[in-house]
């Protein structure tokens, strides 16, 4: 203290740690039930991350896609649910455009979740970009596993893929993610 020592005391405080988690929602697909299940899964993950104290950042990967940061100093869960309610099935943005949106984030992501309806080139390109930028990525495919195309073994598996049937997601059954 200044009074005892005659010298100023400088205290340095570490910045508050923010666990930012990216959620990229793929709006492609034509199966209404699977699309609704993906929206429901995304909403549930947002709520879970908020309860865990994380700051989820939602990116809807549509050409006119919006993005929203959810957390105590940001938008609440309700605006995120409203944003999801306005999402219609559409072709996803080019992977480079999604990568540009991720790169401009204010807080670096500790991990990312890609919520999609298939495992094709687009999904692999987005996942590969995240992994190349040191962001671990989990890919959650909500679809009928019997309708998914065979994957090319040369492409290799995504870092973390999990296929969930839309019936299971919509049933309200608890899921281990």
């Amino acid at each position: 203290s200044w009074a005892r020592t005659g010298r100023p005391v400088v205290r340095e405080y570490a910045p508050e740690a923010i666990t930012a988690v990216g959620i990229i929602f793929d709006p492609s697909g034509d199966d209404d039930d699977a699309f609704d299940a993906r929206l429901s899964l995304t909403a549930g993950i947002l709520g879970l991350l908020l309860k865990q104290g994380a700051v989820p950042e939602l990116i809807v990967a549509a050409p006119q896609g919006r993005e929203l940061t959810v957390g105590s100093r940001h938008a609440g869960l309700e605006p995120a649910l409203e944003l999801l309610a306005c999402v219609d099935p559409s072709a996803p943005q080019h992977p480079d455009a999604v990568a540009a949106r991720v790169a401009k984030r204010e807080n670096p992501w500790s991990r990312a979740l890609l919520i999609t309806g298939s495992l094709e080139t687009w999904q692999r390109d987005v996942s590969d970009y995240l992994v190349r930028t040191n962001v671990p990525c989990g890919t959650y495919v909500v679809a009928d596993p019997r309708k998914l195309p065979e994957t090319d073994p040369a492409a290799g598996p995504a870092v973390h893929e999990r296929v969930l049937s839309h019936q299971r997601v919509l049933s309200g059954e608890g899921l281990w993610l």
Side-chain angles (χ1 to χ4, degrees):
S1 77
W2 181 288
R4 276 187 290 146
T5 64
R7 292 185 318 230
V9 175
V10 177
R11 291 186 179 155
E12 293 185 31
Y13 293 94
E16 181 181 341
I18 295 175
T19 303
V21 179
I23 300 175
I24 301 174
F25 182 83
D26 171 10
S28 63
D30 54 5
D31 183 343
D32 288 341
D33 289 337
F35 187 80
D36 289 345
R38 286 199 322 266
L39 289 170
S40 180
L41 178 63
T42 303
I45 289 173
L46 283 168
L48 176 66
L49 289 171
L50 280 171
K51 284 182 185 175
Q52 293 176 345
V55 178
E57 296 185 2
L58 174 63
I59 291 180
V60 177
Q64 302 301 320
R66 294 177 41 205
E67 46 198 79
L68 183 66
T69 301
V70 184
S72 60
R73 288 181 276 154
H74 305 281
L77 184 58
E78 293 77 21
L81 298 178
E82 289 173 13
L83 183 144
L84 288 171
C86 295
V87 175
D88 291 319
S90 66
Q93 274 184 314
H94 190 276
D96 291 341
V98 175
R101 291 170 72 185
V102 171
K104 72 174 188 137
R105 306 306 319 147
E106 182 179 322
N107 297 310
W109 289 351
S110 61
R111 65 184 181 272
L113 304 172
L114 175 59
I115 312 296
T116 185
S118 63
L119 279 175
E120 296 174 10
T121 304
W122 183 91
Q123 291 80 5
R124 290 198 184 274
D125 287 349
V126 171
S127 178
D128 288 347
Y129 166 78
L130 291 164
V131 171
R132 279 193 318 271
T133 58
N134 297 318
V135 178
C137 179
T139 301
Y140 294 93
V141 183
V142 180
D144 184 342
R146 298 170 298 193
K147 294 182 180 178
L148 289 175
E150 292 293 322
T151 56
D152 179 9
V159 173
H160 178 80
E161 294 174 355
R162 177 119 188 243
V163 177
L164 305 166
S165 72
H166 65 274
Q167 295 94 342
R168 185 166 177 213
V169 172
L170 293 174
S171 73
E173 174 185 344
L175 300 172
W176 289 96
L177 301 176

